[in-house]
Structures are given as C-alpha cells and as structure tokens.
Amino acid sequence: MATATTYGARDHARAQEGTHTEAMPVVPAADWPEPPCAAGHLVWAETVAGGGYTHRVLARGTELRLTDLRGDACAHLLLYAADRPWERLNVADTVKVQWNAYLGEGRLLLSDQGRVLAGVVADTSGRHDALCGTSTLVRNAQRYGDGTPQSPSPAGRELFKLAAAKNGLAPRDLPPSLSFFQGVEVREDGTLDFTGSAGPGGSVTLRTEQDVTVLIANVPHPADPRPGYVSTPLEVLAWRAAPTAPGDPLWDATPEGRRAFLNTAEFLAARGLA
C-alpha cells in the first residue's frame, strides 16, 4: 500500500495539503471566507465538531463570537487570566455578584478576584446555563456507554482536561464551566427545566477584558434528556477590537458590574497594562 513506507506515508500526508473538512481551524484565520470584522483583524477561525474541543490565548480587547450552526451545539466555556491561571472564571461569583443566574447580553464573566475576564456584548440565542456545569466521565458512561475523549460520546470534563494540559493546567485547575446554546430554567420548586436550544444560527459574542486563556468543549448539556449523544458543529471566530471603556453601556449596566470593571482597570494600571 502507498503508506507502507516512510516515503509513501510522507507523500500521502503532503497530498492532503489544502484539503478541508467541515470541522477544523482555518490557518491563517485571515483566509476565513466571510470575516465579521475589518480585514486583517481576524485572529481565530475554527469550526469545532460535536464532541470536540478547542483552546486559544486571546489578547485583552478581543471579541469572540460563538455560533450554533445547526441548533444542537453546546459550548461549555472556561476562562483563565493568561499569565495568572490561578485567576479564573468563577461561575458562583458571576451569578451572585450580578444578582442573576441567567446569562445574556450585558452580563459579565467574573473571576474569583472580583475582576472582569469577559463580557457578553451580543446574544441572539438566549439559551445558556450557569448552573449545571459540563458532563463527566461517570455520567456519560452511564448514559451513553462511554465518556472517554476518544469515544463516540466524550464527556466535557475529559475534553477540558486535554485542553487544560495543552496550556500547562492540570485537572485540579478545572472549575465549574458555563454553557452556551442549551439552557435551563429554575422552577418555583427549585428543580431545573431544560429549555434546550433556540435553533440554528444563534450566536453569542464575548469581549475579553484581560489577556485570557479560553477552553471550549462542544458536547451535549448534562441535562439534555434525549437518549442519544446529540452534538453538532460550533463556529468560533475571534477578532481584534478594544476593551470596554468608561461610558460604554456594558461598563455602566449595573453598580456591581461597574465596580468589577474598576477593580480590573486598577489592577491593569498597576501592572502598566492599561
């Protein structure tokens, strides 16, 4: 066979140059066919398969748009301060400080230091979750028969472990995550109602307020009641923009959010970064 020798394997591999599959990164990102920003500003362009993961370090002021292409993506997200991974997304504080358990436009993603890692600047989906976290190996094994990364039904936490390792992080560095595009609501009796997806084409755009490490796992929501492992492609685009400034509606949306922005600005100024 053609790949039975080293030379044959090399020639076969090189013959794949320029070919594309549905789910893969575009390198350079500038080759993305319809960028949502000024020419030359796109820094990340990728389609993540269902059951896949991705990661990237983004500069402060980058805008990150996630799109549920077919209506069954679920983007589980973790954020870390890029050079200080001990400062990371704190879902409990994100909910508690803003007096709201539901994500959407105008909400901030807060760290455990009371600072802003990113803010939601646009949202056409409205089906998100800050309560349930992602799926686990044990749970997926019970539901689907397997939850390992190489299986047909990988668990979100197992994929996060891989993404974390590629950024110098360990399993102990994985806090609870947020989920975009598959929502839940809290009933009056305290139980959760899975609201599912808003349908194909929904998107959410985040703006980073510090240099951040982004981890994303695209796997079914743990509360999804369907018996099968249903997960469809997620589009990820990021481009250079500008961080939020005083006077911006996002900065002044709430007193709690304004204080988080002030905490962030003071911290960055002390380091000579703002």
Side-chain angles (χ1 to χ4, degrees):
M1 60 183 296
T3 58
T5 68
T6 303
Y7 292 117
R10 180 196 63 187
D11 294 342
H12 175 75
R14 288 180 174 177
Q16 311 309 308
E17 184 179 19
T19 62
H20 295 272
T21 62
E22 179 183 53
M24 63 180 295
V26 172
V27 180
D31 287 347
W32 187 261
E34 297 181 7
C37 56
H41 284 211
L42 202 64
V43 297
W44 189 9
E46 183 171 357
T47 304
V48 184
Y53 74 96
T54 189
H55 56 95
R56 190 64 58 97
V57 176
L58 297 178
R60 176 175 176 249
T62 301
E63 294 196 355
L64 170 65
R65 189 181 76 189
L66 309 176
T67 302
D68 180 2
L69 295 175
R70 297 183 187 171
D72 275 314
C74 187
H76 302 263
L77 178 79
L78 287 175
L79 297 174
Y80 302 79
D83 61 341
R84 308 177 319 283
W86 53 87
E87 182 175 0
R88 58 195 59 170
L89 176 66
N90 187 305
V91 176
D93 283 357
T94 292
V95 168
K96 177 180 64 177
V97 170
Q98 298 177 96
W99 305 96
N100 197 312
Y102 300 107
L103 300 170
E105 185 173 337
R107 298 299 170 195
L108 306 178
L109 309 186
L110 303 178
S111 78
D112 50 3
Q113 304 296 313
R115 296 190 279 259
V116 187
L117 292 171
V120 181
V121 296
D123 177 21
T124 67
S125 168
R127 301 291 181 89
H128 313 305
D129 171 38
L131 302 174
C132 296
T134 193
S135 52
T136 63
L137 178 64
V138 171
R139 178 63 170 158
N140 275 31
Q142 293 171 343
R143 292 191 64 184
Y144 310 117
D146 201 346
T148 58
Q150 297 77 24
S151 74
S153 50
R157 182 169 171 81
E158 298 307 298
L159 297 181
F160 274 144
K161 288 179 182 178
L162 297 180
K166 293 178 180 180
N167 289 276
L169 303 171
R172 64 180 292 181
D173 296 311
L174 298 175
S177 58
L178 298 173
S179 304
F180 292 102
F181 307 122
Q182 301 287 339
V184 298
E185 292 181 353
V186 182
R187 301 190 186 105
E188 289 188 6
D189 63 1
T191 59
L192 297 178
D193 183 23
F194 180 69
T195 58
S197 167
S203 67
V204 60
T205 303
L206 310 178
R207 181 188 296 146
T208 63
E209 302 298 344
Q210 302 186 47
D211 294 350
V212 295
T213 300
V214 181
L215 309 185
I216 299 172
N218 180 25
V219 300
H221 190 281
D224 191 330
R226 291 175 290 185
Y229 188 94
V230 182
S231 183
T232 56
L234 172 74
E235 180 184 275
V236 180
L237 298 177
W239 57 92
R240 291 194 297 271
T244 305
D248 186 287
L250 188 64
W251 184 291
D252 293 318
T254 67
E256 296 82 13
R258 184 162 51 249
R259 179 53 185 259
F261 272 117
L262 290 171
N263 289 344
T264 308
E266 181 183 48
F267 173 78
L268 295 173
R271 300 191 70 194
L273 301 176

